[in-house]
Amino acid sequence: MAQPISNQEQQQQQQQQQASQDEGGAPQLISALPVSPPPLVTGPSSALVRLLFADLSGQRRVRVVPWDRFHTLTCQQGIGLARCIYAFASFVDGPAPGCGLTAAGEVRLMPDVSTLRTLPWCPNQMLALVDAHVAPGQPFAVCPRSTLRRVAASLKDRFGLVLRAGFESEFTLLQSTTPSLAPVDRTLYCASAAFDEQAELMGAMVAALHGMGIPVEQLHPESGGGQFEIAVGHAADVAAADRILLVREAISGVVRQAAASGGGSAGMEGASSKRSTVPTHVTFLPQVFPRDAANGSHVHVSIWREVADADADADAAVTQPSAASAEAEGGPSSAPRVVLSEGGRSFVNAFAAGGGCGSASEAGGGAGEPSEQHGMSVEGQQFMAGVMQHLPSIMAVSCPLPNSYERLGPNKWTGAFHCWGHENREAAVRLAAPPTAAAAAAAAGGPSAGDVPPAFQVTNFEVKACDACAQPHLVLAAIIAAGMDGLARKLQLPEPIDVNPADLPPDAAPARLPSCLDESLAAFEADSVMRDVLGDVMVQAIVAVRKAEIQHYTGRASMVSQLITKY
């Protein structure tokens, strides 16, 4: 039977992968990664290895090979796949018209063995993330994972920065009824009864994620019927996108196992014997039921710069709060810079005030020069300003289905207005400033905890217009593209809006973000920055898939029933 990698070993492999990506500036090709499995991952010939990727419509897909073939052949040569599969729409197994890809031509799925791990809910099988190459060592232009690797390398080359991100994951637990599916409960946000009813299942999910080396920060019932949220720790670019795909795989796998066993979780460490309302399905689809709270996958973003050990030792060594802790539990100490130690290297949070490039203009600035504001470094403001400016076009990637836009709207905490604010959950971009950091700042002589967030208090910003139908590698690639444009052009943020934008008079209210996929796609097609960074071939394929989705689903009452088991 296959032996799992320990959490520490998985983290070390991820750190080594990120380190190799960051060194030298150029993207590190899969062919340069280790081509034999880690020594503690072994298996008999009966073991199976799933090769996981997500296409442009966000569908998680696998090819599966026996262990012996994976070990002796697939690691070196990959496995063949029709290249047009990356441009399949969600409703049909066929390339979207106009995508530029046909049944002719093949790519090789090259496994990244640093991501190889045993599946806790299916312990005789393993999984590895893959990149698509036209030949080993030559990335395919429509591979989202290779694209993010390339774009992240550009951020490092041009600005010396590394993006870190953490995705939230909201999902709906469903049970089979006649004639359709229904939520397992009708409780309210953070209802104790809802969690108690699914305590065994949620415990099994946490055990599975920890078994895969993914740190869980918090989990709770959400506002919708049968709706829950799990937030996991942040990671660097490719690893962050990989992580959310694994989270979705784990949640889905645990639910299927529980349904098959009638509610028991045999073999799942941390499960109890308590029986409950057993879900038969789980979905990440944004708007499952009309007028009910919808599922999002908000993404928390920060930028970091590597520093010498001596510089790092001068700061307090604290880890940046994740999406969960930044939202709910607090943040860094009163140290002027937030420092992260990873893989024997040290990184400073360059988004936070005090963590920027260190120029004279960074801290105070001369007349007319930019300065740290709102707890952000100058670089942090410019990066976020780029994301703000390009947000309508980013949404063609982060909100990829017509159903995505049923989730978005005023007074839904989904960020329907084109604005940002301090801890404003109705703003499209929320500046995350944990409350404990405010108290620490006040104790250090800064502004009082009730004032505008002080320097070294802010840790990251949250993009709310994102859901789990999105391809996460493309989401982060688009965010980096926008942020680099902000850095290159030294864009400035508009003034924050710290009230509900829907309550403002029309002449003072910010503009609405796209309310349908047609609008965001038009912005994406007109965005020269996205085309320059993502590449013409990738943009052509994305546009074709989105147009196919619009044509197929517009006006169809059956849209949810078609999608509910696909996401």
Side-chain angles (χ1 to χ4, degrees):
M1 182 173 292
Q3 300 298 313
I5 315 173
S6 70
N7 293 357
Q8 181 180 2
E9 289 156 351
Q10 289 176 28
Q11 292 166 358
Q12 288 174 347
Q13 290 166 13
Q14 292 169 358
Q15 292 161 3
Q16 290 167 359
Q17 176 190 5
Q18 185 62 40
S20 66
Q21 177 182 329
D22 290 341
E23 289 172 356
Q28 188 73 24
L29 301 182
I30 292 297
S31 59
L33 293 170
V35 292
S36 58
L40 292 183
V41 180
T42 59
S45 58
S46 60
L48 300 177
V49 182
R50 306 180 190 184
L51 305 178
L52 176 68
F53 66 98
D55 62 22
L56 299 188
S57 69
Q59 297 286 310
R60 303 189 309 277
R61 300 178 184 267
V62 295
R63 296 293 297 270
V64 185
V65 294
W67 169 260
D68 281 353
R69 184 174 181 86
F70 175 84
H71 187 274
T72 58
L73 186 64
T74 309
C75 285
Q76 288 78 22
Q77 298 182 15
I79 185 171
L81 182 79
R83 62 177 61 188
C84 65
I85 289 176
Y86 272 88
F88 281 9
S90 64
F91 58 88
V92 64
D93 278 342
C99 69
L101 303 173
T102 69
E106 187 173 84
V107 293
R108 308 299 295 178
L109 298 182
M110 302 299 298
D112 180 346
V113 297
S114 72
T115 67
L116 184 66
R117 65 207 62 210
T118 297
L119 302 179
W121 63 92
C122 195
N124 65 330
Q125 296 189 19
M126 290 171 278
L127 179 149
L129 277 298
V130 296
D131 283 45
H133 287 189
V134 293
Q138 300 176 33
F140 176 42
V142 188
C143 172
R145 196 168 188 262
S146 297
T147 297
L148 176 55
R149 193 187 305 280
R150 173 177 57 79
V151 175
S154 180
L155 177 65
K156 179 75 186 306
D157 283 349
R158 295 176 62 189
F159 303 102
L161 297 170
V162 175
L163 179 131
R164 294 185 70 88
F167 289 85
E168 300 173 8
S169 188
E170 294 175 340
F171 53 92
T172 301
L173 298 176
L174 303 163
Q175 56 186 335
S176 294
T177 61
T178 303
S180 58
L181 295 171
V184 296
D185 64 48
R186 287 292 185 183
T187 57
L188 300 176
Y189 176 75
C190 284
S192 177
F195 193 85
D196 193 53
E197 182 70 14
Q198 300 298 333
E200 180 179 3
L201 184 71
M202 302 307 290
M205 290 179 185
V206 172
L209 291 169
H210 283 174
M212 298 171 76
I214 299 174
V216 175
E217 298 289 345
Q218 72 164 19
L219 59 160
H220 61 268
E222 266 290 349
S223 298
Q227 188 184 33
F228 288 79
E229 176 182 323
I230 294 179
V232 299
H234 61 92
D237 43 70
V238 175
D242 290 350
R243 180 172 285 181
I244 192 59
L245 289 182
L246 294 173
V247 168
R248 294 168 191 164
E249 284 288 293
I251 291 171
S252 300
V254 169
V255 170
R256 291 191 192 98
Q257 183 197 50
S261 62
S265 298
M268 296 300 299
E269 181 183 353
S272 71
S273 60
K274 179 181 180 295
R275 296 285 171 162
S276 61
T277 303
V278 182
T280 56
H281 297 80
V282 61
T283 185
F284 301 90
L285 187 68
Q287 194 70 57
V288 184
F289 301 106
R291 296 177 297 280
D292 206 353
N295 293 317
S297 187
H298 306 163
V299 56
H300 291 249
V301 176
S302 55
I303 49 175
W304 295 71
R305 173 176 285 105
E306 186 171 3
V307 294
D309 290 340
D311 294 332
D313 291 341
D315 295 300
V318 295
T319 302
Q320 179 208 20
S322 68
S325 55
E327 182 170 358
E329 294 185 3
S333 71
S334 59
R337 301 202 296 177
V338 180
V339 175
L340 172 70
S341 295
E342 184 173 80
R345 302 160 68 188
S346 297
F347 299 85
V348 63
N349 188 333
F351 178 73
C357 62
S359 66
S361 64
E362 187 74 35
E369 291 290 332
S371 62
E372 294 180 339
Q373 298 182 54
H374 306 289
M376 292 179 279
S377 70
V378 171
E379 285 176 304
Q381 295 171 62
Q382 293 170 350
F383 189 94
M384 195 169 99
V387 173
M388 282 287 298
Q389 183 164 118
H390 292 276
L391 191 53
S393 56
I394 291 173
M395 287 174 62
V397 175
S398 63
C399 300
L401 290 175
N403 181 271
S404 300
Y405 296 82
E406 296 184 9
R407 166 182 167 261
L408 304 175
N411 300 309
K412 292 184 176 182
W413 291 20
T414 56
F417 290 90
H418 198 172
C419 63
W420 72 277
H422 305 100
E423 297 293 9
N424 186 353
R425 285 168 172 77
E426 281 292 341
V429 174
R430 178 175 73 92
L431 193 63
T436 54
S448 67
D451 291 340
V452 171
F456 61 79
Q457 179 183 343
V458 168
T459 57
N460 65 85
F461 66 92
E462 175 191 34
V463 178
K464 302 187 77 67
C466 183
D467 62 57
C469 298
Q471 212 293 347
H473 298 88
L474 283 181
V475 171
L476 295 186
I479 287 174
I480 293 174
M484 288 195 297
D485 185 49
L487 290 167
R489 295 197 288 141
K490 302 186 184 302
L491 297 179
Q492 296 185 17
L493 285 168
E495 289 299 310
I497 292 181
D498 294 328
V499 298
N500 185 346
D503 293 338
L504 294 172
D507 60 342
R512 282 285 302 273
L513 284 170
S515 59
C516 63
L517 183 54
D518 302 75
E519 293 177 2
S520 63
L521 186 60
F524 182 77
E525 288 189 272
D527 195 323
S528 60
V529 169
M530 292 296 158
R531 184 172 295 275
D532 289 345
V533 175
L534 301 182
D536 288 336
V537 176
M538 175 65 86
V539 168
Q540 178 183 353
I542 292 172
V543 170
V545 171
R546 299 297 179 266
K547 287 183 176 179
E549 306 278 13
I550 292 169
Q551 181 177 5
H552 179 78
Y553 290 116
T554 298
R556 285 182 182 255
S558 62
M559 176 170 61
V560 170
S561 63
Q562 291 184 48
L563 292 170
I564 196 168
T565 57
K566 294 181 178 179
Y567 291 97

